[in-house]
Amino acid sequence: MAKYALQRLALAIPVLLGVLLVGFFLMQVVPTDPAIIRAGPQATQDVVEAIREELGLNKPLWQQFGLYMWRLFQGDLGVSIINNVAVTQELGDTIGPTLELMVASLFWSIPLGILMGTLAAYWRGSLIDRGIMAISVAGVSVPVFFIGLLMIWLLGFQWQLLPFTGRGGPLWTMDGIMAIILPALTLGGVFVGPVARMTRTAVVDMLSADHVRTARAKGLNEFLVVLRHALRNALIPVITLIGLQIGFLLGGAVVTETIFSWPGVGRLAVGAILSSDFPMAQGTIIVLSLGFILINLAVDLLYAVLDPRVRLS
Amino acid sequence: MTLLSVENLVTSFKTSAGEVRAVDGVSIAVERGQTLGIVGESGCGKSVLSLSIMQLLAHPGRVVEGKVLLEGRNLLDLSARQMRAVRGREIAMIFQEPMTSLNPVHSIGYQITEAMRAHEPSLSAAELRNRAVAVLDRVRIPSAARRFDEYPHQLSGGMRQRVMIAMALACKPKLLIADEPTTALDVTVQAQILELLRELQAENGMGIILITHDLGVIAEMADRVSVMYAGRVVERSSSAELFDDPQHPYTLGLLGSIPRVDEEKDRLTAIEGAVPPPFAWPPGCRFAPRCPFSIEACTQAPPALREVAPDHAAACLEAPL
Ligand SMILES: Nc1ncnc2c1ncn2[C@@H]1O[C@H](COP(=O)(O)OP(=O)(O)OP(=O)(O)O)[C@@H](O)[C@H]1O
Ligand SMILES: [Mg+2]
């Protein structure tokens, strides 16, 4: 198990380096000159030149990359071109709310998706199955922003039940909980459908497995048969597939945060890109990619926890 | 009273090609402490018959006629809950596929105790563990106490089949249905498993239905035999009598097809062709198209299973042969 975990960790390192490299080159290929933006529209050529010198933009590419890595290593992601705040500081302030939002979204959507998928699988071909699958397909095909806007309009605006702008405070306060409901429903909402469908497929597969017949032959009741011998085994492929969907979750977080003015990394990223704040944009991309890597790592470890064949090999 | 008697059982599958009677009017009987062998080629309905007895048929399979009497009580009349209390406790079953019949994600100890817990919920965790280790020990799993926490993938096929047997025996059933328990195993392991079953039977007097397509296994194990062909029993007698004086051409064919190491290979006379699929069964005797003895009348109506010698029945117009 420890060996497996280390292996996975070792595999994540090249991916991380790749991300950093892409982050660096992203800055090279953008058509705008960061020095000009930093200097402002009225600046003279000399000022721009000076800033370029200061930022090290005149050095050869490999030296710039070395410098970038060296700074990164020291936890220095540069300062915002727009307001001169350290990128790491802004990121530090926004990571918490983003994590909060993701956890709150997954907290309800994954269990619900798994429950729906299992019920659909058990009663496959029935009206229950068709109903659940219709809901899931609808959930998959509707874009995040549409659900978000619909909920804002209905629950926030029309009925005035829930706040829909910004974070209300820490999650242990009532305000904090009220404020996260709509964003978490929106972001989690896109996840329910795919999880339900993947679970259904995996559980249907498992229900016809030989070991499920053995479980029935022992005289177990249907609840135990489904829970311990179909769903329990189906979780292995389901977790894998959920891992593959994490990219969508991060993308969804960017959109959701923007719609609900949620002070997270996603909104920070959008703001930075729109205002050509390159160091900030670079920082957010690195953090989001890091999140992607970490979640996948967590999925790999969970996989080992669920499957003794992986754990003990 | 007979331990289990199946009377005129019909199991049908509703498929797109129409209704298929994979088991078509089968009657069998097993006594306490005895072994009934059921033999027949692949596809003749042996597994469907055993799953019908256990009521474990997957959709679209359904028992449409007949009785399954366990000590006189018709299992087909039981509610789902009552039937669950029979499964594992009164009738246990082991399957053809030792590699996939155990759940890979649970330890073997868990899977054995689960069966006991289902029927005796009052047992404590320690008692469950002790009993499971004892039964693992009984089926000769070496260092059973340590194996308790191992997973199926850590065991060989033979060991897994022993675990399956341990699981089946955990609640001391009256009847064990073993559906080709050794087909997937190599010859030496096969002999050990059969020997184990015989010992266990002598010990606790359970009845066994042993399903196989291997007449060698029947000769070694069975007290009585029912030969199945295409969803029907075509011959029924004591095991000794069947080998001595077979009365159905199909049985003759099967006997001819036992591989004998001691004789030259070219003496083997396997039956030509294969069991037709259920939707292609002929209207008369289902074996007629492959039968060297068949006459015009064989293709008219299915021959009934009738006594051709004392305690020996065959479904053939030509019998006694
Ligand atoms: N789910 C199903 N749908 C339709 N027909 C089925 C189904 N399951 C079994 N059958 C039919 O029942 C017949 C008997 O199958 P069964 O598995 O009982 O054979 P068997 O005697 O156990 O063979 P084997 O020695 O290969 O295990 C098969 O020919 C098949 O056509
Ligand atoms: Mg079979």
Side-chain angles (χ1 to χ4, degrees), chain B residues 176-226:
Chain B
L176 177 69
I177 303 178
D179 186 357
E180 309 204 25
T182 57
T183 305
L185 306 174
D186 62 49
V187 187
T188 43
V189 181
Q190 186 170 337
Q192 291 164 5
I193 296 280
L194 294 177
E195 172 62 31
L196 176 66
L197 283 176
R198 242 196 328 250
E199 274 176 41
L200 293 166
Q201 180 176 43
E203 224 170 85
N204 60 18
M206 65 184 171
I208 296 182
I209 297 180
L210 181 67
I211 294 171
T212 179
H213 51 238
D214 182 346
L215 277 169
V217 171
I218 295 284
E220 206 172 316
M221 298 286 294
D223 300 294
R224 296 191 59 79
V225 191
S226 289

Short mmCIF file of all heavy atoms in Angstrom, two decimals, chain B residues 176-226:
data_model
loop_
_atom_site.label_atom_id
_atom_site.label_comp_id
_atom_site.label_asym_id
_atom_site.label_seq_id
_atom_site.Cartn_x
_atom_site.Cartn_y
_atom_site.Cartn_z
N LEU B 176 -26.78 -30.25 -0.43
CA LEU B 176 -25.78 -29.44 -1.11
C LEU B 176 -25.93 -29.66 -2.61
O LEU B 176 -25.94 -30.80 -3.09
CB LEU B 176 -24.37 -29.87 -0.67
CG LEU B 176 -23.22 -29.15 -1.37
CD1 LEU B 176 -23.16 -27.69 -0.94
CD2 LEU B 176 -21.89 -29.84 -1.09
N ILE B 177 -26.09 -28.58 -3.34
CA ILE B 177 -26.11 -28.70 -4.80
C ILE B 177 -24.74 -28.25 -5.30
O ILE B 177 -24.33 -27.12 -5.07
CB ILE B 177 -27.20 -27.81 -5.42
CG1 ILE B 177 -28.57 -28.17 -4.85
CG2 ILE B 177 -27.20 -27.95 -6.94
CD1 ILE B 177 -29.70 -27.31 -5.38
N ALA B 178 -24.03 -29.16 -5.94
CA ALA B 178 -22.70 -28.83 -6.44
C ALA B 178 -22.75 -28.86 -7.96
O ALA B 178 -22.85 -29.92 -8.57
CB ALA B 178 -21.68 -29.83 -5.90
N ASP B 179 -22.73 -27.68 -8.56
CA ASP B 179 -22.84 -27.57 -10.02
C ASP B 179 -21.44 -27.60 -10.63
O ASP B 179 -20.73 -26.60 -10.62
CB ASP B 179 -23.58 -26.29 -10.39
CG ASP B 179 -23.85 -26.20 -11.89
OD1 ASP B 179 -23.41 -27.10 -12.63
OD2 ASP B 179 -24.50 -25.23 -12.31
N GLU B 180 -21.06 -28.73 -11.14
CA GLU B 180 -19.74 -28.93 -11.73
C GLU B 180 -18.64 -28.33 -10.84
O GLU B 180 -17.91 -27.45 -11.26
CB GLU B 180 -19.68 -28.31 -13.13
CG GLU B 180 -20.84 -28.78 -13.98
CD GLU B 180 -20.57 -28.70 -15.47
OE1 GLU B 180 -19.39 -28.75 -15.83
OE2 GLU B 180 -21.54 -28.61 -16.23
N PRO B 181 -18.52 -28.83 -9.62
CA PRO B 181 -17.60 -28.20 -8.67
C PRO B 181 -16.13 -28.37 -9.05
O PRO B 181 -15.30 -27.67 -8.52
CB PRO B 181 -17.89 -28.94 -7.35
CG PRO B 181 -18.42 -30.26 -7.75
CD PRO B 181 -19.18 -30.02 -9.03
N THR B 182 -15.86 -29.29 -9.95
CA THR B 182 -14.45 -29.56 -10.23
C THR B 182 -14.07 -29.36 -11.69
O THR B 182 -12.92 -29.55 -12.06
CB THR B 182 -14.10 -31.02 -9.85
OG1 THR B 182 -14.97 -31.89 -10.58
CG2 THR B 182 -14.30 -31.25 -8.37
N THR B 183 -15.03 -28.93 -12.51
CA THR B 183 -14.75 -28.82 -13.94
C THR B 183 -13.59 -27.88 -14.22
O THR B 183 -12.78 -28.12 -15.12
CB THR B 183 -16.01 -28.30 -14.67
OG1 THR B 183 -17.07 -29.18 -14.35
CG2 THR B 183 -15.82 -28.29 -16.16
N ALA B 184 -13.51 -26.79 -13.43
CA ALA B 184 -12.50 -25.78 -13.73
C ALA B 184 -11.15 -26.09 -13.08
O ALA B 184 -10.22 -25.31 -13.20
CB ALA B 184 -12.99 -24.40 -13.28
N LEU B 185 -11.06 -27.23 -12.40
CA LEU B 185 -9.84 -27.51 -11.65
C LEU B 185 -9.02 -28.61 -12.32
O LEU B 185 -9.56 -29.42 -13.07
CB LEU B 185 -10.21 -27.97 -10.23
CG LEU B 185 -11.13 -27.01 -9.47
CD1 LEU B 185 -11.55 -27.61 -8.15
CD2 LEU B 185 -10.44 -25.67 -9.25
N ASP B 186 -7.74 -28.66 -12.03
CA ASP B 186 -6.96 -29.73 -12.65
C ASP B 186 -7.16 -31.05 -11.90
O ASP B 186 -7.70 -31.09 -10.80
CB ASP B 186 -5.48 -29.34 -12.83
CG ASP B 186 -4.80 -29.08 -11.53
OD1 ASP B 186 -4.94 -29.92 -10.63
OD2 ASP B 186 -4.14 -28.03 -11.41
N VAL B 187 -6.73 -32.14 -12.55
CA VAL B 187 -7.18 -33.47 -12.16
C VAL B 187 -6.89 -33.83 -10.71
O VAL B 187 -7.75 -34.35 -10.01
CB VAL B 187 -6.58 -34.53 -13.11
CG1 VAL B 187 -7.19 -35.89 -12.82
CG2 VAL B 187 -6.86 -34.13 -14.55
N THR B 188 -5.69 -33.54 -10.24
CA THR B 188 -5.35 -33.94 -8.87
C THR B 188 -6.20 -33.17 -7.87
O THR B 188 -6.73 -33.74 -6.91
CB THR B 188 -3.87 -33.69 -8.55
OG1 THR B 188 -3.52 -32.42 -9.08
CG2 THR B 188 -3.00 -34.77 -9.11
N VAL B 189 -6.36 -31.87 -8.12
CA VAL B 189 -7.18 -31.04 -7.22
C VAL B 189 -8.62 -31.54 -7.25
O VAL B 189 -9.29 -31.64 -6.23
CB VAL B 189 -7.12 -29.57 -7.66
CG1 VAL B 189 -7.95 -28.71 -6.73
CG2 VAL B 189 -5.69 -29.08 -7.69
N GLN B 190 -9.08 -31.90 -8.45
CA GLN B 190 -10.43 -32.42 -8.65
C GLN B 190 -10.67 -33.62 -7.73
O GLN B 190 -11.66 -33.68 -7.00
CB GLN B 190 -10.53 -32.83 -10.11
CG GLN B 190 -11.88 -33.27 -10.55
CD GLN B 190 -11.93 -33.41 -12.06
OE1 GLN B 190 -11.14 -32.81 -12.78
NE2 GLN B 190 -12.85 -34.21 -12.55
N ALA B 191 -9.72 -34.55 -7.72
CA ALA B 191 -9.87 -35.75 -6.90
C ALA B 191 -9.94 -35.39 -5.42
O ALA B 191 -10.75 -35.93 -4.66
CB ALA B 191 -8.70 -36.71 -7.16
N GLN B 192 -9.11 -34.42 -5.01
CA GLN B 192 -9.11 -34.02 -3.60
C GLN B 192 -10.45 -33.42 -3.19
O GLN B 192 -10.97 -33.70 -2.11
CB GLN B 192 -8.01 -32.98 -3.34
CG GLN B 192 -6.60 -33.52 -3.45
CD GLN B 192 -5.58 -32.40 -3.58
OE1 GLN B 192 -5.91 -31.22 -3.49
NE2 GLN B 192 -4.33 -32.79 -3.80
N ILE B 193 -11.00 -32.59 -4.07
CA ILE B 193 -12.26 -31.92 -3.75
C ILE B 193 -13.38 -32.95 -3.64
O ILE B 193 -14.19 -32.92 -2.71
CB ILE B 193 -12.61 -30.86 -4.83
CG1 ILE B 193 -11.57 -29.74 -4.84
CG2 ILE B 193 -14.01 -30.31 -4.62
CD1 ILE B 193 -11.72 -28.69 -3.79
N LEU B 194 -13.42 -33.91 -4.57
CA LEU B 194 -14.46 -34.94 -4.53
C LEU B 194 -14.33 -35.78 -3.25
O LEU B 194 -15.32 -36.07 -2.59
CB LEU B 194 -14.36 -35.84 -5.77
CG LEU B 194 -14.68 -35.14 -7.10
CD1 LEU B 194 -14.49 -36.10 -8.27
CD2 LEU B 194 -16.10 -34.58 -7.09
N GLU B 195 -13.11 -36.11 -2.92
CA GLU B 195 -12.83 -36.87 -1.70
C GLU B 195 -13.36 -36.10 -0.48
O GLU B 195 -14.02 -36.66 0.40
CB GLU B 195 -11.32 -37.11 -1.60
CG GLU B 195 -10.82 -37.72 -0.30
CD GLU B 195 -11.40 -39.11 -0.08
OE1 GLU B 195 -11.66 -39.80 -1.09
OE2 GLU B 195 -11.60 -39.50 1.09
N LEU B 196 -13.09 -34.81 -0.48
CA LEU B 196 -13.55 -33.95 0.62
C LEU B 196 -15.07 -33.97 0.73
O LEU B 196 -15.64 -34.13 1.82
CB LEU B 196 -13.05 -32.52 0.40
CG LEU B 196 -13.52 -31.48 1.41
CD1 LEU B 196 -12.95 -31.78 2.77
CD2 LEU B 196 -13.11 -30.08 0.96
N LEU B 197 -15.74 -33.85 -0.42
CA LEU B 197 -17.21 -33.86 -0.40
C LEU B 197 -17.73 -35.18 0.17
O LEU B 197 -18.68 -35.20 0.95
CB LEU B 197 -17.76 -33.65 -1.82
CG LEU B 197 -17.71 -32.22 -2.37
CD1 LEU B 197 -18.20 -32.18 -3.81
CD2 LEU B 197 -18.53 -31.28 -1.50
N ARG B 198 -17.08 -36.27 -0.23
CA ARG B 198 -17.52 -37.58 0.26
C ARG B 198 -17.38 -37.68 1.77
O ARG B 198 -18.27 -38.15 2.47
CB ARG B 198 -16.72 -38.68 -0.42
CG ARG B 198 -17.61 -39.61 -1.24
CD ARG B 198 -16.90 -40.90 -1.60
NE ARG B 198 -15.49 -40.75 -1.78
CZ ARG B 198 -14.86 -40.84 -2.97
NH1 ARG B 198 -15.56 -41.05 -4.06
NH2 ARG B 198 -13.56 -40.72 -3.05
N GLU B 199 -16.24 -37.22 2.26
CA GLU B 199 -16.01 -37.24 3.70
C GLU B 199 -17.05 -36.42 4.46
O GLU B 199 -17.59 -36.86 5.47
CB GLU B 199 -14.65 -36.59 4.02
CG GLU B 199 -13.47 -37.50 3.95
CD GLU B 199 -12.22 -36.66 4.19
OE1 GLU B 199 -12.23 -35.76 5.07
OE2 GLU B 199 -11.25 -36.90 3.46
N LEU B 200 -17.28 -35.23 3.94
CA LEU B 200 -18.21 -34.33 4.63
C LEU B 200 -19.60 -34.93 4.65
O LEU B 200 -20.33 -34.83 5.64
CB LEU B 200 -18.23 -32.97 3.93
CG LEU B 200 -16.92 -32.18 4.05
CD1 LEU B 200 -16.90 -31.02 3.08
CD2 LEU B 200 -16.74 -31.69 5.48
N GLN B 201 -19.95 -35.60 3.57
CA GLN B 201 -21.27 -36.22 3.50
C GLN B 201 -21.38 -37.36 4.52
O GLN B 201 -22.38 -37.46 5.24
CB GLN B 201 -21.51 -36.77 2.10
CG GLN B 201 -22.85 -37.44 1.95
CD GLN B 201 -23.09 -37.89 0.54
OE1 GLN B 201 -22.20 -38.43 -0.11
NE2 GLN B 201 -24.28 -37.64 0.04
N ALA B 202 -20.33 -38.15 4.62
CA ALA B 202 -20.34 -39.25 5.59
C ALA B 202 -20.48 -38.70 7.00
O ALA B 202 -21.12 -39.29 7.86
CB ALA B 202 -19.06 -40.07 5.45
N GLU B 203 -19.87 -37.54 7.22
CA GLU B 203 -19.86 -36.93 8.54
C GLU B 203 -21.22 -36.40 8.95
O GLU B 203 -21.68 -36.64 10.06
CB GLU B 203 -18.87 -35.77 8.49
CG GLU B 203 -17.96 -35.65 9.66
CD GLU B 203 -16.91 -34.62 9.29
OE1 GLU B 203 -17.16 -33.41 9.47
OE2 GLU B 203 -15.85 -35.02 8.80
N ASN B 204 -21.87 -35.65 8.06
CA ASN B 204 -23.10 -34.99 8.51
C ASN B 204 -24.35 -35.44 7.76
O ASN B 204 -25.42 -34.87 7.95
CB ASN B 204 -22.95 -33.46 8.46
CG ASN B 204 -22.66 -32.96 7.07
OD1 ASN B 204 -22.89 -33.67 6.09
ND2 ASN B 204 -22.17 -31.75 6.95
N GLY B 205 -24.22 -36.45 6.94
CA GLY B 205 -25.40 -37.07 6.35
C GLY B 205 -26.21 -36.19 5.42
O GLY B 205 -27.41 -36.41 5.22
N MET B 206 -25.56 -35.21 4.80
CA MET B 206 -26.35 -34.37 3.90
C MET B 206 -26.56 -35.07 2.55
O MET B 206 -25.80 -35.97 2.17
CB MET B 206 -25.63 -33.03 3.68
CG MET B 206 -24.32 -33.15 2.97
SD MET B 206 -23.50 -31.55 2.86
CE MET B 206 -21.91 -32.03 2.24
N GLY B 207 -27.61 -34.66 1.88
CA GLY B 207 -27.82 -35.13 0.52
C GLY B 207 -27.02 -34.25 -0.42
O GLY B 207 -26.81 -33.08 -0.14
N ILE B 208 -26.56 -34.82 -1.53
CA ILE B 208 -25.81 -34.01 -2.50
C ILE B 208 -26.41 -34.21 -3.88
O ILE B 208 -26.71 -35.34 -4.28
CB ILE B 208 -24.31 -34.42 -2.53
CG1 ILE B 208 -23.64 -34.14 -1.18
CG2 ILE B 208 -23.59 -33.70 -3.66
CD1 ILE B 208 -22.15 -34.47 -1.15
N ILE B 209 -26.61 -33.12 -4.58
CA ILE B 209 -26.89 -33.21 -6.01
C ILE B 209 -25.60 -32.81 -6.70
O ILE B 209 -25.13 -31.68 -6.54
CB ILE B 209 -28.03 -32.27 -6.44
CG1 ILE B 209 -29.34 -32.66 -5.77
CG2 ILE B 209 -28.19 -32.29 -7.96
CD1 ILE B 209 -30.51 -31.76 -6.15
N LEU B 210 -25.01 -33.74 -7.41
CA LEU B 210 -23.74 -33.46 -8.03
C LEU B 210 -23.94 -33.38 -9.54
O LEU B 210 -24.29 -34.36 -10.19
CB LEU B 210 -22.74 -34.58 -7.70
CG LEU B 210 -21.35 -34.38 -8.27
CD1 LEU B 210 -20.66 -33.20 -7.64
CD2 LEU B 210 -20.52 -35.64 -8.09
N ILE B 211 -23.73 -32.20 -10.07
CA ILE B 211 -23.94 -31.98 -11.48
C ILE B 211 -22.60 -32.05 -12.19
O ILE B 211 -21.62 -31.49 -11.72
CB ILE B 211 -24.60 -30.61 -11.70
CG1 ILE B 211 -26.01 -30.64 -11.11
CG2 ILE B 211 -24.63 -30.24 -13.17
CD1 ILE B 211 -26.67 -29.30 -11.07
N THR B 212 -22.58 -32.73 -13.30
CA THR B 212 -21.30 -32.87 -14.00
C THR B 212 -21.56 -33.30 -15.45
O THR B 212 -22.66 -33.72 -15.79
CB THR B 212 -20.41 -33.93 -13.31
OG1 THR B 212 -19.20 -34.07 -14.03
CG2 THR B 212 -21.10 -35.28 -13.24
N HIS B 213 -20.56 -33.14 -16.30
CA HIS B 213 -20.70 -33.81 -17.59
C HIS B 213 -19.63 -34.90 -17.71
O HIS B 213 -19.35 -35.39 -18.79
CB HIS B 213 -20.67 -32.83 -18.77
CG HIS B 213 -19.52 -31.88 -18.74
ND1 HIS B 213 -19.69 -30.53 -18.74
CD2 HIS B 213 -18.21 -32.10 -18.69
CE1 HIS B 213 -18.52 -29.95 -18.70
NE2 HIS B 213 -17.60 -30.88 -18.67
N ASP B 214 -19.11 -35.27 -16.54
CA ASP B 214 -18.02 -36.23 -16.51
C ASP B 214 -18.51 -37.52 -15.86
O ASP B 214 -18.74 -37.58 -14.65
CB ASP B 214 -16.88 -35.59 -15.70
CG ASP B 214 -15.66 -36.49 -15.65
OD1 ASP B 214 -15.78 -37.68 -16.00
OD2 ASP B 214 -14.60 -35.98 -15.25
N LEU B 215 -18.68 -38.57 -16.64
CA LEU B 215 -19.18 -39.83 -16.09
C LEU B 215 -18.21 -40.46 -15.11
O LEU B 215 -18.59 -41.21 -14.23
CB LEU B 215 -19.50 -40.81 -17.22
CG LEU B 215 -20.87 -40.60 -17.85
CD1 LEU B 215 -20.98 -41.43 -19.13
CD2 LEU B 215 -21.99 -40.98 -16.90
N GLY B 216 -16.93 -40.11 -15.23
CA GLY B 216 -15.95 -40.61 -14.29
C GLY B 216 -16.28 -40.13 -12.88
O GLY B 216 -16.21 -40.88 -11.91
N VAL B 217 -16.66 -38.86 -12.78
CA VAL B 217 -17.04 -38.28 -11.50
C VAL B 217 -18.27 -38.98 -10.95
O VAL B 217 -18.36 -39.30 -9.76
CB VAL B 217 -17.29 -36.76 -11.66
CG1 VAL B 217 -17.90 -36.18 -10.39
CG2 VAL B 217 -16.00 -36.04 -12.00
N ILE B 218 -19.22 -39.26 -11.83
CA ILE B 218 -20.45 -39.95 -11.41
C ILE B 218 -20.11 -41.32 -10.84
O ILE B 218 -20.55 -41.70 -9.76
CB ILE B 218 -21.40 -40.13 -12.62
CG1 ILE B 218 -21.88 -38.78 -13.13
CG2 ILE B 218 -22.57 -41.04 -12.27
CD1 ILE B 218 -22.94 -38.13 -12.30
N ALA B 219 -19.28 -42.06 -11.57
CA ALA B 219 -18.92 -43.41 -11.15
C ALA B 219 -18.32 -43.40 -9.76
O ALA B 219 -18.58 -44.27 -8.93
CB ALA B 219 -17.93 -44.01 -12.14
N GLU B 220 -17.53 -42.37 -9.48
CA GLU B 220 -16.84 -42.28 -8.22
C GLU B 220 -17.75 -41.84 -7.08
O GLU B 220 -17.57 -42.26 -5.94
CB GLU B 220 -15.70 -41.28 -8.39
CG GLU B 220 -14.55 -41.48 -7.46
CD GLU B 220 -13.44 -40.53 -7.88
OE1 GLU B 220 -13.16 -40.42 -9.10
OE2 GLU B 220 -12.88 -39.87 -7.01
N MET B 221 -18.72 -40.99 -7.38
CA MET B 221 -19.44 -40.28 -6.33
C MET B 221 -20.90 -40.68 -6.14
O MET B 221 -21.42 -40.62 -5.03
CB MET B 221 -19.42 -38.77 -6.63
CG MET B 221 -18.06 -38.14 -6.66
SD MET B 221 -17.36 -37.95 -5.01
CE MET B 221 -18.49 -36.75 -4.30
N ALA B 222 -21.61 -40.98 -7.24
CA ALA B 222 -23.07 -40.97 -7.16
C ALA B 222 -23.65 -42.30 -6.70
O ALA B 222 -23.14 -43.38 -7.05
CB ALA B 222 -23.65 -40.59 -8.51
N ASP B 223 -24.73 -42.24 -5.92
CA ASP B 223 -25.51 -43.43 -5.61
C ASP B 223 -26.52 -43.67 -6.71
O ASP B 223 -26.73 -44.77 -7.16
CB ASP B 223 -26.24 -43.23 -4.27
CG ASP B 223 -25.25 -42.99 -3.15
OD1 ASP B 223 -24.48 -43.92 -2.83
OD2 ASP B 223 -25.22 -41.86 -2.62
N ARG B 224 -27.18 -42.59 -7.10
CA ARG B 224 -28.14 -42.69 -8.20
C ARG B 224 -27.79 -41.66 -9.26
O ARG B 224 -27.10 -40.68 -8.98
CB ARG B 224 -29.56 -42.44 -7.68
CG ARG B 224 -30.03 -43.49 -6.67
CD ARG B 224 -31.51 -43.34 -6.40
NE ARG B 224 -32.32 -43.47 -7.61
CZ ARG B 224 -32.62 -44.63 -8.17
NH1 ARG B 224 -32.22 -45.77 -7.64
NH2 ARG B 224 -33.35 -44.68 -9.27
N VAL B 225 -28.29 -41.88 -10.47
CA VAL B 225 -27.97 -40.98 -11.57
C VAL B 225 -29.21 -40.63 -12.36
O VAL B 225 -30.07 -41.48 -12.59
CB VAL B 225 -26.97 -41.63 -12.57
CG1 VAL B 225 -26.46 -40.59 -13.54
CG2 VAL B 225 -25.84 -42.31 -11.86
N SER B 226 -29.33 -39.35 -12.74
CA SER B 226 -30.30 -38.96 -13.76
C SER B 226 -29.51 -38.41 -14.94
O SER B 226 -28.69 -37.52 -14.77
CB SER B 226 -31.25 -37.89 -13.23
OG SER B 226 -32.13 -38.46 -12.28
#
